[in-house]
PDB file of all heavy atoms in Angstrom:
ATOM      1  N   GLU K   1     -10.116  -2.598 -12.426  1.00  0.00           N
ATOM      2  CA  GLU K   1     -10.763  -2.875 -11.149  1.00  0.00           C
ATOM      3  C   GLU K   1     -10.712  -1.681 -10.196  1.00  0.00           C
ATOM      4  O   GLU K   1     -11.606  -1.477  -9.386  1.00  0.00           O
ATOM      5  CB  GLU K   1     -10.088  -4.091 -10.496  1.00  0.00           C
ATOM      6  CG  GLU K   1     -10.772  -4.578  -9.249  1.00  0.00           C
ATOM      7  CD  GLU K   1     -10.185  -5.859  -8.701  1.00  0.00           C
ATOM      8  OE1 GLU K   1      -9.335  -6.486  -9.369  1.00  0.00           O
ATOM      9  OE2 GLU K   1     -10.574  -6.244  -7.591  1.00  0.00           O
ATOM     10  N   TYR K   2      -9.652  -0.893 -10.280  1.00  0.00           N
ATOM     11  CA  TYR K   2      -9.496   0.275  -9.420  1.00  0.00           C
ATOM     12  C   TYR K   2      -9.507   1.541 -10.258  1.00  0.00           C
ATOM     13  O   TYR K   2      -8.965   1.580 -11.352  1.00  0.00           O
ATOM     14  CB  TYR K   2      -8.213   0.171  -8.588  1.00  0.00           C
ATOM     15  CG  TYR K   2      -8.292  -0.963  -7.609  1.00  0.00           C
ATOM     16  CD1 TYR K   2      -7.752  -2.207  -7.911  1.00  0.00           C
ATOM     17  CD2 TYR K   2      -8.972  -0.816  -6.404  1.00  0.00           C
ATOM     18  CE1 TYR K   2      -7.868  -3.270  -7.029  1.00  0.00           C
ATOM     19  CE2 TYR K   2      -9.097  -1.865  -5.518  1.00  0.00           C
ATOM     20  CZ  TYR K   2      -8.545  -3.091  -5.831  1.00  0.00           C
ATOM     21  OH  TYR K   2      -8.672  -4.131  -4.962  1.00  0.00           O
ATOM     22  N   ASP K   3     -10.134   2.588  -9.714  1.00  0.00           N
ATOM     23  CA  ASP K   3     -10.253   3.865 -10.418  1.00  0.00           C
ATOM     24  C   ASP K   3      -9.081   4.797 -10.151  1.00  0.00           C
ATOM     25  O   ASP K   3      -8.762   5.653 -10.969  1.00  0.00           O
ATOM     26  CB  ASP K   3     -11.544   4.576  -9.987  1.00  0.00           C
ATOM     27  CG  ASP K   3     -12.773   3.754 -10.282  1.00  0.00           C
ATOM     28  OD1 ASP K   3     -12.895   3.268 -11.418  1.00  0.00           O
ATOM     29  OD2 ASP K   3     -13.609   3.583  -9.373  1.00  0.00           O
ATOM     30  N   VAL K   4      -8.467   4.649  -8.995  1.00  0.00           N
ATOM     31  CA  VAL K   4      -7.405   5.575  -8.600  1.00  0.00           C
ATOM     32  C   VAL K   4      -6.307   4.818  -7.851  1.00  0.00           C
ATOM     33  O   VAL K   4      -6.579   3.896  -7.086  1.00  0.00           O
ATOM     34  CB  VAL K   4      -7.980   6.730  -7.739  1.00  0.00           C
ATOM     35  CG1 VAL K   4      -8.565   6.236  -6.435  1.00  0.00           C
ATOM     36  CG2 VAL K   4      -6.953   7.810  -7.506  1.00  0.00           C
ATOM     37  N   VAL K   5      -5.072   5.238  -8.109  1.00  0.00           N
ATOM     38  CA  VAL K   5      -3.905   4.692  -7.424  1.00  0.00           C
ATOM     39  C   VAL K   5      -3.135   5.877  -6.852  1.00  0.00           C
ATOM     40  O   VAL K   5      -2.755   6.788  -7.590  1.00  0.00           O
ATOM     41  CB  VAL K   5      -2.993   3.895  -8.389  1.00  0.00           C
ATOM     42  CG1 VAL K   5      -1.753   3.381  -7.665  1.00  0.00           C
ATOM     43  CG2 VAL K   5      -3.765   2.747  -9.036  1.00  0.00           C
ATOM     44  N   VAL K   6      -2.936   5.855  -5.550  1.00  0.00           N
ATOM     45  CA  VAL K   6      -2.209   6.924  -4.865  1.00  0.00           C
ATOM     46  C   VAL K   6      -0.932   6.325  -4.284  1.00  0.00           C
ATOM     47  O   VAL K   6      -0.985   5.294  -3.612  1.00  0.00           O
ATOM     48  CB  VAL K   6      -3.060   7.539  -3.734  1.00  0.00           C
ATOM     49  CG1 VAL K   6      -2.243   8.511  -2.897  1.00  0.00           C
ATOM     50  CG2 VAL K   6      -4.300   8.211  -4.310  1.00  0.00           C
ATOM     51  N   THR K   7       0.187   6.975  -4.544  1.00  0.00           N
ATOM     52  CA  THR K   7       1.455   6.598  -3.925  1.00  0.00           C
ATOM     53  C   THR K   7       1.841   7.732  -2.991  1.00  0.00           C
ATOM     54  O   THR K   7       1.816   8.904  -3.388  1.00  0.00           O
ATOM     55  CB  THR K   7       2.551   6.381  -4.983  1.00  0.00           C
ATOM     56  OG1 THR K   7       2.100   5.410  -5.925  1.00  0.00           O
ATOM     57  CG2 THR K   7       3.837   5.887  -4.351  1.00  0.00           C
ATOM     58  N   ALA K   8       2.169   7.368  -1.754  1.00  0.00           N
ATOM     59  CA  ALA K   8       2.466   8.392  -0.750  1.00  0.00           C
ATOM     60  C   ALA K   8       3.483   7.879   0.249  1.00  0.00           C
ATOM     61  O   ALA K   8       3.682   6.666   0.390  1.00  0.00           O
ATOM     62  CB  ALA K   8       1.181   8.797  -0.026  1.00  0.00           C
ATOM     63  N   THR K   9       4.104   8.814   0.945  1.00  0.00           N
ATOM     64  CA  THR K   9       5.009   8.482   2.037  1.00  0.00           C
ATOM     65  C   THR K   9       4.335   8.898   3.343  1.00  0.00           C
ATOM     66  O   THR K   9       3.895  10.043   3.484  1.00  0.00           O
ATOM     67  CB  THR K   9       6.357   9.213   1.879  1.00  0.00           C
ATOM     68  OG1 THR K   9       6.932   8.820   0.629  1.00  0.00           O
ATOM     69  CG2 THR K   9       7.310   8.849   2.995  1.00  0.00           C
ATOM     70  N   PHE K  10       4.234   7.945   4.257  1.00  0.00           N
ATOM     71  CA  PHE K  10       3.579   8.147   5.547  1.00  0.00           C
ATOM     72  C   PHE K  10       4.629   8.140   6.656  1.00  0.00           C
ATOM     73  O   PHE K  10       5.640   7.435   6.552  1.00  0.00           O
ATOM     74  CB  PHE K  10       2.568   7.028   5.820  1.00  0.00           C
ATOM     75  CG  PHE K  10       1.370   7.075   4.912  1.00  0.00           C
ATOM     76  CD1 PHE K  10       1.419   6.520   3.645  1.00  0.00           C
ATOM     77  CD2 PHE K  10       0.199   7.691   5.315  1.00  0.00           C
ATOM     78  CE1 PHE K  10       0.327   6.569   2.796  1.00  0.00           C
ATOM     79  CE2 PHE K  10      -0.899   7.748   4.481  1.00  0.00           C
ATOM     80  CZ  PHE K  10      -0.839   7.183   3.218  1.00  0.00           C
ATOM     81  N   PRO K  11       4.388   8.879   7.739  1.00  0.00           N
ATOM     82  CA  PRO K  11       5.361   8.889   8.829  1.00  0.00           C
ATOM     83  C   PRO K  11       5.470   7.543   9.558  1.00  0.00           C
ATOM     84  O   PRO K  11       6.525   7.213  10.082  1.00  0.00           O
ATOM     85  CB  PRO K  11       4.864   9.978   9.774  1.00  0.00           C
ATOM     86  CG  PRO K  11       3.526  10.389   9.314  1.00  0.00           C
ATOM     87  CD  PRO K  11       3.312   9.835   7.947  1.00  0.00           C
ATOM     88  N   ASP K  12       4.376   6.780   9.556  1.00  0.00           N
ATOM     89  CA  ASP K  12       4.379   5.493  10.258  1.00  0.00           C
ATOM     90  C   ASP K  12       3.148   4.684   9.845  1.00  0.00           C
ATOM     91  O   ASP K  12       2.275   5.174   9.126  1.00  0.00           O
ATOM     92  CB  ASP K  12       4.414   5.697  11.779  1.00  0.00           C
ATOM     93  CG  ASP K  12       3.320   6.633  12.268  1.00  0.00           C
ATOM     94  OD1 ASP K  12       2.177   6.570  11.745  1.00  0.00           O
ATOM     95  OD2 ASP K  12       3.591   7.430  13.174  1.00  0.00           O
ATOM     96  N   ALA K  13       3.098   3.436  10.320  1.00  0.00           N
ATOM     97  CA  ALA K  13       1.995   2.540   9.968  1.00  0.00           C
ATOM     98  C   ALA K  13       0.652   3.040  10.494  1.00  0.00           C
ATOM     99  O   ALA K  13      -0.371   2.895   9.823  1.00  0.00           O
ATOM    100  CB  ALA K  13       2.274   1.132  10.494  1.00  0.00           C
ATOM    101  N   SER K  14       0.640   3.651  11.665  1.00  0.00           N
ATOM    102  CA  SER K  14      -0.617   4.157  12.222  1.00  0.00           C
ATOM    103  C   SER K  14      -1.220   5.233  11.330  1.00  0.00           C
ATOM    104  O   SER K  14      -2.439   5.294  11.156  1.00  0.00           O
ATOM    105  CB  SER K  14      -0.396   4.718  13.623  1.00  0.00           C
ATOM    106  OG  SER K  14      -0.009   3.689  14.505  1.00  0.00           O
ATOM    107  N   SER K  15      -0.375   6.073  10.754  1.00  0.00           N
ATOM    108  CA  SER K  15      -0.859   7.119   9.848  1.00  0.00           C
ATOM    109  C   SER K  15      -1.481   6.511   8.598  1.00  0.00           C
ATOM    110  O   SER K  15      -2.541   6.940   8.152  1.00  0.00           O
ATOM    111  CB  SER K  15       0.285   8.052   9.452  1.00  0.00           C
ATOM    112  OG  SER K  15       0.827   8.677  10.573  1.00  0.00           O
ATOM    113  N   LEU K  16      -0.815   5.521   8.039  1.00  0.00           N
ATOM    114  CA  LEU K  16      -1.334   4.838   6.847  1.00  0.00           C
ATOM    115  C   LEU K  16      -2.670   4.179   7.141  1.00  0.00           C
ATOM    116  O   LEU K  16      -3.650   4.366   6.423  1.00  0.00           O
ATOM    117  CB  LEU K  16      -0.327   3.804   6.351  1.00  0.00           C
ATOM    118  CG  LEU K  16      -0.810   2.823   5.295  1.00  0.00           C
ATOM    119  CD1 LEU K  16      -1.303   3.528   4.039  1.00  0.00           C
ATOM    120  CD2 LEU K  16       0.294   1.829   4.967  1.00  0.00           C
ATOM    121  N   ILE K  17      -2.730   3.420   8.212  1.00  0.00           N
ATOM    122  CA  ILE K  17      -3.952   2.693   8.556  1.00  0.00           C
ATOM    123  C   ILE K  17      -5.066   3.665   8.935  1.00  0.00           C
ATOM    124  O   ILE K  17      -6.228   3.464   8.581  1.00  0.00           O
ATOM    125  CB  ILE K  17      -3.671   1.663   9.668  1.00  0.00           C
ATOM    126  CG1 ILE K  17      -2.703   0.597   9.124  1.00  0.00           C
ATOM    127  CG2 ILE K  17      -4.964   1.016  10.156  1.00  0.00           C
ATOM    128  CD1 ILE K  17      -2.099  -0.293  10.186  1.00  0.00           C
ATOM    129  N   GLY K  18      -4.731   4.752   9.620  1.00  0.00           N
ATOM    130  CA  GLY K  18      -5.731   5.760   9.969  1.00  0.00           C
ATOM    131  C   GLY K  18      -6.338   6.412   8.740  1.00  0.00           C
ATOM    132  O   GLY K  18      -7.552   6.600   8.657  1.00  0.00           O
ATOM    133  N   VAL K  19      -5.493   6.759   7.771  1.00  0.00           N
ATOM    134  CA  VAL K  19      -5.993   7.344   6.520  1.00  0.00           C
ATOM    135  C   VAL K  19      -6.866   6.337   5.789  1.00  0.00           C
ATOM    136  O   VAL K  19      -7.962   6.666   5.324  1.00  0.00           O
ATOM    137  CB  VAL K  19      -4.830   7.835   5.629  1.00  0.00           C
ATOM    138  CG1 VAL K  19      -5.301   8.113   4.208  1.00  0.00           C
ATOM    139  CG2 VAL K  19      -4.204   9.078   6.230  1.00  0.00           C
ATOM    140  N   ALA K  20      -6.407   5.099   5.698  1.00  0.00           N
ATOM    141  CA  ALA K  20      -7.199   4.065   5.010  1.00  0.00           C
ATOM    142  C   ALA K  20      -8.551   3.869   5.696  1.00  0.00           C
ATOM    143  O   ALA K  20      -9.581   3.718   5.034  1.00  0.00           O
ATOM    144  CB  ALA K  20      -6.425   2.756   4.966  1.00  0.00           C
ATOM    145  N   THR K  21      -8.567   3.901   7.008  1.00  0.00           N
ATOM    146  CA  THR K  21      -9.812   3.743   7.760  1.00  0.00           C
ATOM    147  C   THR K  21     -10.767   4.902   7.479  1.00  0.00           C
ATOM    148  O   THR K  21     -11.963   4.694   7.236  1.00  0.00           O
ATOM    149  CB  THR K  21      -9.510   3.636   9.270  1.00  0.00           C
ATOM    150  OG1 THR K  21      -8.669   2.501   9.489  1.00  0.00           O
ATOM    151  CG2 THR K  21     -10.779   3.495  10.082  1.00  0.00           C
ATOM    152  N   ALA K  22     -10.240   6.123   7.492  1.00  0.00           N
ATOM    153  CA  ALA K  22     -11.078   7.298   7.227  1.00  0.00           C
ATOM    154  C   ALA K  22     -11.628   7.280   5.807  1.00  0.00           C
ATOM    155  O   ALA K  22     -12.801   7.599   5.578  1.00  0.00           O
ATOM    156  CB  ALA K  22     -10.272   8.579   7.462  1.00  0.00           C
ATOM    157  N   VAL K  23     -10.800   6.881   4.859  1.00  0.00           N
ATOM    158  CA  VAL K  23     -11.237   6.824   3.455  1.00  0.00           C
ATOM    159  C   VAL K  23     -12.337   5.776   3.292  1.00  0.00           C
ATOM    160  O   VAL K  23     -13.355   6.030   2.649  1.00  0.00           O
ATOM    161  CB  VAL K  23     -10.029   6.541   2.529  1.00  0.00           C
ATOM    162  CG1 VAL K  23     -10.474   6.129   1.140  1.00  0.00           C
ATOM    163  CG2 VAL K  23      -9.135   7.768   2.453  1.00  0.00           C
ATOM    164  N   LYS K  24     -12.152   4.612   3.902  1.00  0.00           N
ATOM    165  CA  LYS K  24     -13.174   3.568   3.820  1.00  0.00           C
ATOM    166  C   LYS K  24     -14.474   4.020   4.482  1.00  0.00           C
ATOM    167  O   LYS K  24     -15.564   3.787   3.967  1.00  0.00           O
ATOM    168  CB  LYS K  24     -12.675   2.276   4.462  1.00  0.00           C
ATOM    169  CG  LYS K  24     -11.615   1.578   3.655  1.00  0.00           C
ATOM    170  CD  LYS K  24     -11.110   0.335   4.383  1.00  0.00           C
ATOM    171  CE  LYS K  24     -10.024  -0.356   3.602  1.00  0.00           C
ATOM    172  NZ  LYS K  24      -9.537  -1.573   4.274  1.00  0.00           N
ATOM    173  N   ALA K  25     -14.352   4.689   5.627  1.00  0.00           N
ATOM    174  CA  ALA K  25     -15.533   5.132   6.370  1.00  0.00           C
ATOM    175  C   ALA K  25     -16.288   6.251   5.653  1.00  0.00           C
ATOM    176  O   ALA K  25     -17.465   6.474   5.931  1.00  0.00           O
ATOM    177  CB  ALA K  25     -15.122   5.601   7.765  1.00  0.00           C
ATOM    178  N   SER K  26     -15.631   6.937   4.719  1.00  0.00           N
ATOM    179  CA  SER K  26     -16.276   8.049   4.010  1.00  0.00           C
ATOM    180  C   SER K  26     -17.430   7.591   3.130  1.00  0.00           C
ATOM    181  O   SER K  26     -18.297   8.380   2.794  1.00  0.00           O
ATOM    182  CB  SER K  26     -15.252   8.781   3.134  1.00  0.00           C
ATOM    183  OG  SER K  26     -14.945   8.031   1.969  1.00  0.00           O
ATOM    184  N   GLY K  27     -17.413   6.332   2.720  1.00  0.00           N
ATOM    185  CA  GLY K  27     -18.454   5.814   1.837  1.00  0.00           C
ATOM    186  C   GLY K  27     -18.236   6.145   0.366  1.00  0.00           C
ATOM    187  O   GLY K  27     -19.066   5.808  -0.466  1.00  0.00           O
ATOM    188  N   ALA K  28     -17.122   6.789   0.036  1.00  0.00           N
ATOM    189  CA  ALA K  28     -16.852   7.184  -1.349  1.00  0.00           C
ATOM    190  C   ALA K  28     -16.262   6.051  -2.188  1.00  0.00           C
ATOM    191  O   ALA K  28     -16.148   6.181  -3.402  1.00  0.00           O
ATOM    192  CB  ALA K  28     -15.910   8.381  -1.386  1.00  0.00           C
ATOM    193  N   PHE K  29     -15.905   4.948  -1.533  1.00  0.00           N
ATOM    194  CA  PHE K  29     -15.252   3.851  -2.246  1.00  0.00           C
ATOM    195  C   PHE K  29     -15.977   2.531  -2.058  1.00  0.00           C
ATOM    196  O   PHE K  29     -16.378   2.197  -0.949  1.00  0.00           O
ATOM    197  CB  PHE K  29     -13.797   3.698  -1.764  1.00  0.00           C
ATOM    198  CG  PHE K  29     -12.942   4.857  -2.148  1.00  0.00           C
ATOM    199  CD1 PHE K  29     -12.830   5.953  -1.317  1.00  0.00           C
ATOM    200  CD2 PHE K  29     -12.264   4.872  -3.354  1.00  0.00           C
ATOM    201  CE1 PHE K  29     -12.057   7.045  -1.670  1.00  0.00           C
ATOM    202  CE2 PHE K  29     -11.490   5.942  -3.721  1.00  0.00           C
ATOM    203  CZ  PHE K  29     -11.381   7.036  -2.886  1.00  0.00           C
ATOM    204  N   GLU K  30     -16.114   1.800  -3.160  1.00  0.00           N
ATOM    205  CA  GLU K  30     -16.621   0.433  -3.073  1.00  0.00           C
ATOM    206  C   GLU K  30     -15.530  -0.467  -2.518  1.00  0.00           C
ATOM    207  O   GLU K  30     -15.796  -1.398  -1.776  1.00  0.00           O
ATOM    208  CB  GLU K  30     -17.056  -0.053  -4.453  1.00  0.00           C
ATOM    209  CG  GLU K  30     -18.293   0.658  -4.969  1.00  0.00           C
ATOM    210  CD  GLU K  30     -18.710   0.211  -6.356  1.00  0.00           C
ATOM    211  OE1 GLU K  30     -17.979  -0.545  -7.018  1.00  0.00           O
ATOM    212  OE2 GLU K  30     -19.788   0.645  -6.781  1.00  0.00           O
ATOM    213  N   LYS K  31     -14.278  -0.176  -2.922  1.00  0.00           N
ATOM    214  CA  LYS K  31     -13.121  -0.915  -2.434  1.00  0.00           C
ATOM    215  C   LYS K  31     -11.986   0.075  -2.219  1.00  0.00           C
ATOM    216  O   LYS K  31     -11.790   0.977  -3.022  1.00  0.00           O
ATOM    217  CB  LYS K  31     -12.642  -1.954  -3.456  1.00  0.00           C
ATOM    218  CG  LYS K  31     -13.497  -3.168  -3.559  1.00  0.00           C
ATOM    219  CD  LYS K  31     -12.771  -4.267  -4.296  1.00  0.00           C
ATOM    220  CE  LYS K  31     -12.984  -4.138  -5.786  1.00  0.00           C
ATOM    221  NZ  LYS K  31     -12.396  -5.252  -6.526  1.00  0.00           N
ATOM    222  N   ALA K  32     -11.261  -0.104  -1.137  1.00  0.00           N
ATOM    223  CA  ALA K  32     -10.067   0.697  -0.881  1.00  0.00           C
ATOM    224  C   ALA K  32      -9.084  -0.189  -0.124  1.00  0.00           C
ATOM    225  O   ALA K  32      -9.413  -0.713   0.936  1.00  0.00           O
ATOM    226  CB  ALA K  32     -10.405   1.940  -0.078  1.00  0.00           C
ATOM    227  N   ILE K  33      -7.917  -0.382  -0.713  1.00  0.00           N
ATOM    228  CA  ILE K  33      -6.893  -1.197  -0.051  1.00  0.00           C
ATOM    229  C   ILE K  33      -5.583  -0.429  -0.036  1.00  0.00           C
ATOM    230  O   ILE K  33      -5.383   0.500  -0.816  1.00  0.00           O
ATOM    231  CB  ILE K  33      -6.710  -2.569  -0.726  1.00  0.00           C
ATOM    232  CG1 ILE K  33      -6.182  -2.419  -2.155  1.00  0.00           C
ATOM    233  CG2 ILE K  33      -7.990  -3.373  -0.717  1.00  0.00           C
ATOM    234  CD1 ILE K  33      -5.705  -3.715  -2.760  1.00  0.00           C
ATOM    235  N   TYR K  34      -4.708  -0.823   0.845  1.00  0.00           N
ATOM    236  CA  TYR K  34      -3.391  -0.208   0.891  1.00  0.00           C
ATOM    237  C   TYR K  34      -2.328  -1.294   0.891  1.00  0.00           C
ATOM    238  O   TYR K  34      -2.518  -2.377   1.433  1.00  0.00           O
ATOM    239  CB  TYR K  34      -3.233   0.724   2.095  1.00  0.00           C
ATOM    240  CG  TYR K  34      -3.452   0.057   3.431  1.00  0.00           C
ATOM    241  CD1 TYR K  34      -2.393  -0.505   4.118  1.00  0.00           C
ATOM    242  CD2 TYR K  34      -4.716  -0.006   4.002  1.00  0.00           C
ATOM    243  CE1 TYR K  34      -2.592  -1.115   5.344  1.00  0.00           C
ATOM    244  CE2 TYR K  34      -4.927  -0.604   5.220  1.00  0.00           C
ATOM    245  CZ  TYR K  34      -3.853  -1.156   5.890  1.00  0.00           C
ATOM    246  OH  TYR K  34      -4.045  -1.763   7.102  1.00  0.00           O
ATOM    247  N   LEU K  35      -1.248  -0.984   0.229  1.00  0.00           N
ATOM    248  CA  LEU K  35      -0.107  -1.883   0.129  1.00  0.00           C
ATOM    249  C   LEU K  35       1.109  -1.142   0.668  1.00  0.00           C
ATOM    250  O   LEU K  35       1.452  -0.068   0.181  1.00  0.00           O
ATOM    251  CB  LEU K  35       0.142  -2.275  -1.331  1.00  0.00           C
ATOM    252  CG  LEU K  35      -1.060  -2.857  -2.086  1.00  0.00           C
ATOM    253  CD1 LEU K  35      -0.761  -2.943  -3.566  1.00  0.00           C
ATOM    254  CD2 LEU K  35      -1.417  -4.215  -1.525  1.00  0.00           C
ATOM    255  N   GLU K  36       1.721  -1.705   1.674  1.00  0.00           N
ATOM    256  CA  GLU K  36       2.892  -1.081   2.282  1.00  0.00           C
ATOM    257  C   GLU K  36       4.150  -1.579   1.577  1.00  0.00           C
ATOM    258  O   GLU K  36       4.327  -2.784   1.377  1.00  0.00           O
ATOM    259  CB  GLU K  36       2.934  -1.469   3.756  1.00  0.00           C
ATOM    260  CG  GLU K  36       4.082  -0.899   4.518  1.00  0.00           C
ATOM    261  CD  GLU K  36       4.086  -1.374   5.958  1.00  0.00           C
ATOM    262  OE1 GLU K  36       3.029  -1.758   6.487  1.00  0.00           O
ATOM    263  OE2 GLU K  36       5.172  -1.343   6.552  1.00  0.00           O
ATOM    264  N   GLU K  37       4.996  -0.644   1.163  1.00  0.00           N
ATOM    265  CA  GLU K  37       6.264  -1.020   0.532  1.00  0.00           C
ATOM    266  C   GLU K  37       7.165  -1.667   1.573  1.00  0.00           C
ATOM    267  O   GLU K  37       7.262  -1.186   2.704  1.00  0.00           O
ATOM    268  CB  GLU K  37       6.935   0.227  -0.044  1.00  0.00           C
ATOM    269  CG  GLU K  37       8.201  -0.077  -0.800  1.00  0.00           C
ATOM    270  CD  GLU K  37       8.810   1.175  -1.386  1.00  0.00           C
ATOM    271  OE1 GLU K  37       8.368   1.589  -2.469  1.00  0.00           O
ATOM    272  OE2 GLU K  37       9.713   1.745  -0.731  1.00  0.00           O
TER     273      GLU K  37
END
């Protein structure tokens, strides 16, 4: 179902959500979700 899985360490929740928002807005993904550990 997913083509790529990225594991990363973010400084805070705003950074994670900001990156996810930018990635979704890029139009390069049909689906993009994030899971916080």
Side-chain angles (χ1 to χ4, degrees):
E1 187 174 351
Y2 294 96
D3 301 311
V4 63
V5 178
V6 172
T7 304
T9 301
F10 291 83
D12 52 39
S14 295
S15 299
L16 169 59
I17 295 167
V19 166
T21 300
V23 166
K24 288 177 181 181
S26 75
F29 293 89
E30 291 178 352
K31 285 195 273 185
I33 64 168
Y34 58 91
L35 306 169
E36 180 182 336
E37 184 178 277

